[in-house]
Amino acid sequence: MASDSSSSSSPPSNGGLVVRELVKSFPTAAGPLRILDGVQLDVAMGRSAAIVGPSGSGKSTLLYLIGTLDVADSGSITLRDREITQLPADQLAAFRNENIGFIFQEHHLLPQLSVLENVLVPVVAQRGVTTADREHAMGLIESVGLSDRISHRPGQLSGGQRERVAIARALIMQPTLVLADEPTGNLDRRTAETIRDLLVALPKEHGTILVTVTHSSDLAAAMDDRYELLDGKLV
């Protein structure tokens, strides 16, 4: 495992991801249950990090907090030198769409849309689709090996192909940060290796930050840095 980054108090100078003293608890009959207890994390631009840990340790919760899909009790998250936890809701939604790409285990592709249309969904959410957007989407689809499936709908694709569509969709807005939640969890070994190789290449080819939560030791080992979530802290 990588060493704990909590000893560093200053953000990376290149506008990377900086998480400081992140706390999250959930209500229970016995009182609040603290899942994250002062998490600290630094990931520089062009780097990848894996977060592992037992089921229920809070890995996905941490990923959702970093992705601004959930709200922490306290702490800060800085991306591109901007502290994002205090942004108003409308500004936060715009920032998330422009700067954060998500790859979920269950894909969350829209069944009625083609591969190309699914990849373009984040663009549609922000503005009208241009010819340049379509060309960019087709280039991403080709880069994940699905140029011959561009008009197919999700129901016509395998699990691995749907995951590749999700990767292309996560990149369409050219995000600063890509978050992947168990991206190989439902895949067979050979397909998982293909997805692993695509993910490893993302920071190098696109200059993004990649943070993935995984139970796969193989995927974790392929990342630049590896952390384990234990007792609410990253080590």
Side-chain angles (χ1 to χ4, degrees):
M1 295 297 165
S3 60
D4 190 348
S5 63
S6 60
S7 60
S8 173
S9 60
S10 58
S13 60
N14 66 351
L17 172 67
V18 182
V19 177
R20 288 290 176 268
E21 299 295 342
L22 209 62
V23 173
K24 180 66 174 179
S25 58
F26 294 99
T28 70
L33 175 63
R34 183 168 288 196
I35 300 297
L36 303 177
D37 188 18
V39 166
Q40 312 229 93
L41 176 66
D42 294 284
V43 189
M45 295 296 298
R47 298 278 294 180
S48 61
I51 299 173
V52 301
S55 297
S57 60
K59 302 185 303 299
S60 292
T61 296
L62 175 57
L63 204 71
Y64 281 39
L65 291 173
I66 293 172
T68 73
L69 296 177
D70 197 0
V71 180
D73 300 343
S74 61
S76 66
I77 302 168
T78 302
L79 183 64
R80 294 185 62 181
D81 298 319
R82 188 172 186 182
E83 208 284 297
I84 59 178
T85 52
Q86 302 300 320
L87 289 177
D90 57 339
Q91 293 183 34
L92 184 59
F95 184 90
R96 179 171 57 240
N97 191 52
E98 294 172 5
N99 292 281
I100 304 175
F102 296 91
I103 304 170
F104 298 104
Q105 183 177 0
E106 298 300 330
H107 321 299
H108 297 302
L109 303 179
L110 297 177
Q112 72 274 24
L113 300 184
S114 68
V115 166
L116 177 60
E117 290 166 338
N118 265 289
V119 171
L120 286 167
V121 162
V123 179
V124 174
Q126 185 186 58
R127 52 178 168 77
V129 175
T130 66
T131 299
D133 291 327
R134 292 179 65 87
E135 291 176 351
H136 179 45
M138 288 187 286
L140 289 171
I141 292 167
E142 181 179 3
S143 74
V144 297
L146 291 177
S147 55
D148 60 340
R149 298 286 190 272
I150 199 164
S151 62
H152 286 55
R153 287 179 169 76
Q156 298 172 296
L157 305 175
S158 68
Q161 289 170 335
R162 290 194 292 270
E163 193 74 349
R164 283 187 268 169
V165 176
I167 292 172
R169 180 184 59 189
L171 294 172
I172 188 64
M173 298 297 289
Q174 303 180 62
T176 302
L177 171 65
V178 174
L179 301 174
D181 190 6
E182 295 287 0
T184 61
N186 291 334
L187 305 177
D188 63 77
R189 181 183 60 81
R190 181 171 296 180
T191 304
E193 290 174 351
T194 299
I195 298 301
R196 176 203 64 197
D197 294 343
L198 286 170
L199 292 173
V200 167
L202 292 187
K204 299 173 179 64
E205 294 181 359
H206 298 273
T208 62
I209 301 165
L210 172 66
V211 178
T212 182
V213 160
T214 183
H215 281 103
S216 167
S217 57
D218 183 54
L219 178 60
M223 299 295 108
D224 293 319
D225 300 300
R226 292 161 295 284
Y227 299 89
E228 185 169 8
L229 189 58
L230 291 173
D231 299 323
K233 297 182 183 296
L234 281 181
V235 297

